[in-house]
Amino acid sequence: MLTASLIGTALGITIVLGAGITAYLWIVRQPKLLVGRGVTSLASMRWREYADFVVGALRAQGFDHDPSAARPQRGQPADLVLSRDDQAWLVGCKQNLGEVITATQVADLAHSVRDTGAGGGILATLGQVDADAKGTPGIELLDGPTVWSLVEPLLPQSLRLDLQQRARGQTLRDIQLSWLVALLGGFALAMLLPSPAVPDPAPASVTAVSRATADTVAPAAPPANAAVADPLAVAPGSEEQRREAAMREISALPGVEEASWATRSTLVVYLTDDDASAEDVALLCATIERYDELRASRLQLQARAGSETPVRFKQCHAY
């Protein structure tokens, strides 16, 4: 039987658990989500575009790219030659998310630096750096989160805003779920605690206490349908609103995690699996073709995070 004391204890535990999980998700996990989505977006670019961003980030550290400088010869572990303080630096740009920089790769780059008389070398990867690979003098190693922190300020504002909104949206969904788990856990823990021996109150008192508890305790979790401020909101009936509608419809399709416009002519579709089936692609096309001004848009099919499946592009309707 649920008593006022049990309900009060359960709600107290719920608030403590929910507040702690919310703080962790918002302060700790949300930045990690943003970094993960940012690194994935860099991995989906063309290699030359990704390398240009890396070079632009290194310029802030005093490096300069001379297009006329001699490029690394075939077989060397570097892709670019930069200069700093009148000395050449060999730079390797690794775009694979699963890339792990090993001690052997670092040794190869260090050997190339000595052979060419360069001032040093840099290995930038969207993956990870093995612990044994660190510590070689004259060689700088940049892993995925480090590359993202350097490149993020150089990205278009629209892309950065989109990544931030998607990370925030995922965090809000996780917070809502966490409050439900906290509520269930609060009642479970409250029922396991020993109950103090108290006389049963009169039925009228029980009703009064229950009503007072219901009136004074505010719901801990935000409503599931709480509106999130959208800086891209536009007037009803406009092309931009139809773009938003198409994006939401495709995000709700089976096999799709979410979708967002990378450009006015390219819709990025983030899949929940390695690839989309023919039926899934047909459903995507049927959805986008319902919008006259969008039917010729290019669909960028992005496999789930961590997958090595290359990006696919699909144009359902010719111009």
PDB file of all heavy atoms in Angstrom, residues 5-6 9 189-197:
ATOM      1  N   SER A   5       4.087   8.661   3.526  1.00  0.00           N
ATOM      2  CA  SER A   5       5.509   8.592   3.873  1.00  0.00           C
ATOM      3  C   SER A   5       6.313   7.910   2.769  1.00  0.00           C
ATOM      4  O   SER A   5       7.404   8.359   2.399  1.00  0.00           O
ATOM      5  CB  SER A   5       5.666   7.832   5.199  1.00  0.00           C
ATOM      6  OG  SER A   5       7.041   7.651   5.500  1.00  0.00           O
ATOM      7  N   LEU A   6       5.768   6.805   2.219  1.00  0.00           N
ATOM      8  CA  LEU A   6       6.458   6.088   1.149  1.00  0.00           C
ATOM      9  C   LEU A   6       6.567   6.949  -0.104  1.00  0.00           C
ATOM     10  O   LEU A   6       7.629   7.003  -0.754  1.00  0.00           O
ATOM     11  CB  LEU A   6       5.709   4.791   0.831  1.00  0.00           C
ATOM     12  CG  LEU A   6       6.283   3.949  -0.319  1.00  0.00           C
ATOM     13  CD1 LEU A   6       7.682   3.471   0.021  1.00  0.00           C
ATOM     14  CD2 LEU A   6       5.375   2.763  -0.620  1.00  0.00           C
ATOM     15  N   THR A   9       9.209   9.658   0.467  1.00  0.00           N
ATOM     16  CA  THR A   9      10.563   9.101   0.390  1.00  0.00           C
ATOM     17  C   THR A   9      10.945   8.791  -1.051  1.00  0.00           C
ATOM     18  O   THR A   9      12.064   9.084  -1.503  1.00  0.00           O
ATOM     19  CB  THR A   9      10.651   7.823   1.238  1.00  0.00           C
ATOM     20  OG1 THR A   9      10.320   8.127   2.594  1.00  0.00           O
ATOM     21  CG2 THR A   9      12.052   7.229   1.191  1.00  0.00           C
ATOM     22  N   LEU A 189      13.576   1.720  -4.274  1.00  0.00           N
ATOM     23  CA  LEU A 189      14.408   1.878  -3.086  1.00  0.00           C
ATOM     24  C   LEU A 189      13.574   2.223  -1.858  1.00  0.00           C
ATOM     25  O   LEU A 189      13.856   1.754  -0.748  1.00  0.00           O
ATOM     26  CB  LEU A 189      15.456   2.960  -3.330  1.00  0.00           C
ATOM     27  CG  LEU A 189      16.555   2.614  -4.347  1.00  0.00           C
ATOM     28  CD1 LEU A 189      17.446   3.817  -4.595  1.00  0.00           C
ATOM     29  CD2 LEU A 189      17.382   1.427  -3.857  1.00  0.00           C
ATOM     30  N   ALA A 190      12.548   3.072  -2.050  1.00  0.00           N
ATOM     31  CA  ALA A 190      11.700   3.452  -0.916  1.00  0.00           C
ATOM     32  C   ALA A 190      10.977   2.240  -0.334  1.00  0.00           C
ATOM     33  O   ALA A 190      10.804   2.127   0.890  1.00  0.00           O
ATOM     34  CB  ALA A 190      10.698   4.513  -1.359  1.00  0.00           C
ATOM     35  N   MET A 191      10.571   1.308  -1.177  1.00  0.00           N
ATOM     36  CA  MET A 191       9.867   0.123  -0.685  1.00  0.00           C
ATOM     37  C   MET A 191      10.796  -0.841   0.015  1.00  0.00           C
ATOM     38  O   MET A 191      10.358  -1.653   0.848  1.00  0.00           O
ATOM     39  CB  MET A 191       9.163  -0.583  -1.859  1.00  0.00           C
ATOM     40  CG  MET A 191       8.048   0.261  -2.486  1.00  0.00           C
ATOM     41  SD  MET A 191       7.226  -0.527  -3.875  1.00  0.00           S
ATOM     42  CE  MET A 191       6.357  -1.850  -3.040  1.00  0.00           C
ATOM     43  N   LEU A 192      12.102  -0.762  -0.288  1.00  0.00           N
ATOM     44  CA  LEU A 192      13.073  -1.633   0.386  1.00  0.00           C
ATOM     45  C   LEU A 192      13.487  -1.089   1.749  1.00  0.00           C
ATOM     46  O   LEU A 192      13.980  -1.843   2.594  1.00  0.00           O
ATOM     47  CB  LEU A 192      14.318  -1.795  -0.490  1.00  0.00           C
ATOM     48  CG  LEU A 192      14.129  -2.564  -1.806  1.00  0.00           C
ATOM     49  CD1 LEU A 192      15.420  -2.570  -2.607  1.00  0.00           C
ATOM     50  CD2 LEU A 192      13.666  -3.989  -1.538  1.00  0.00           C
ATOM     51  N   LEU A 193      13.313   0.217   1.972  1.00  0.00           N
ATOM     52  CA  LEU A 193      13.689   0.807   3.253  1.00  0.00           C
ATOM     53  C   LEU A 193      12.688   0.406   4.329  1.00  0.00           C
ATOM     54  O   LEU A 193      11.498   0.261   4.066  1.00  0.00           O
ATOM     55  CB  LEU A 193      13.724   2.336   3.129  1.00  0.00           C
ATOM     56  CG  LEU A 193      14.786   2.911   2.177  1.00  0.00           C
ATOM     57  CD1 LEU A 193      14.634   4.420   2.076  1.00  0.00           C
ATOM     58  CD2 LEU A 193      16.184   2.555   2.664  1.00  0.00           C
ATOM     59  N   PRO A 194      13.170   0.224   5.583  1.00  0.00           N
ATOM     60  CA  PRO A 194      12.234  -0.131   6.667  1.00  0.00           C
ATOM     61  C   PRO A 194      11.273   1.018   6.947  1.00  0.00           C
ATOM     62  O   PRO A 194      11.654   2.191   6.953  1.00  0.00           O
ATOM     63  CB  PRO A 194      13.155  -0.380   7.859  1.00  0.00           C
ATOM     64  CG  PRO A 194      14.422   0.360   7.532  1.00  0.00           C
ATOM     65  CD  PRO A 194      14.558   0.301   6.040  1.00  0.00           C
ATOM     66  N   SER A 195      10.003   0.680   7.158  1.00  0.00           N
ATOM     67  CA  SER A 195       8.978   1.690   7.415  1.00  0.00           C
ATOM     68  C   SER A 195       8.862   1.936   8.912  1.00  0.00           C
ATOM     69  O   SER A 195       8.843   0.987   9.699  1.00  0.00           O
ATOM     70  CB  SER A 195       7.621   1.231   6.872  1.00  0.00           C
ATOM     71  OG  SER A 195       7.705   0.983   5.482  1.00  0.00           O
ATOM     72  N   PRO A 196       8.792   3.208   9.347  1.00  0.00           N
ATOM     73  CA  PRO A 196       8.604   3.491  10.765  1.00  0.00           C
ATOM     74  C   PRO A 196       7.208   3.082  11.226  1.00  0.00           C
ATOM     75  O   PRO A 196       6.249   3.149  10.470  1.00  0.00           O
ATOM     76  CB  PRO A 196       8.790   5.018  10.844  1.00  0.00           C
ATOM     77  CG  PRO A 196       8.438   5.510   9.479  1.00  0.00           C
ATOM     78  CD  PRO A 196       8.868   4.437   8.539  1.00  0.00           C
ATOM     79  N   ALA A 197       7.113   2.617  12.463  1.00  0.00           N
ATOM     80  CA  ALA A 197       5.828   2.181  13.020  1.00  0.00           C
ATOM     81  C   ALA A 197       5.023   3.406  13.418  1.00  0.00           C
ATOM     82  O   ALA A 197       5.378   4.112  14.363  1.00  0.00           O
ATOM     83  CB  ALA A 197       6.035   1.278  14.228  1.00  0.00           C
TER      84      ALA A 197
END
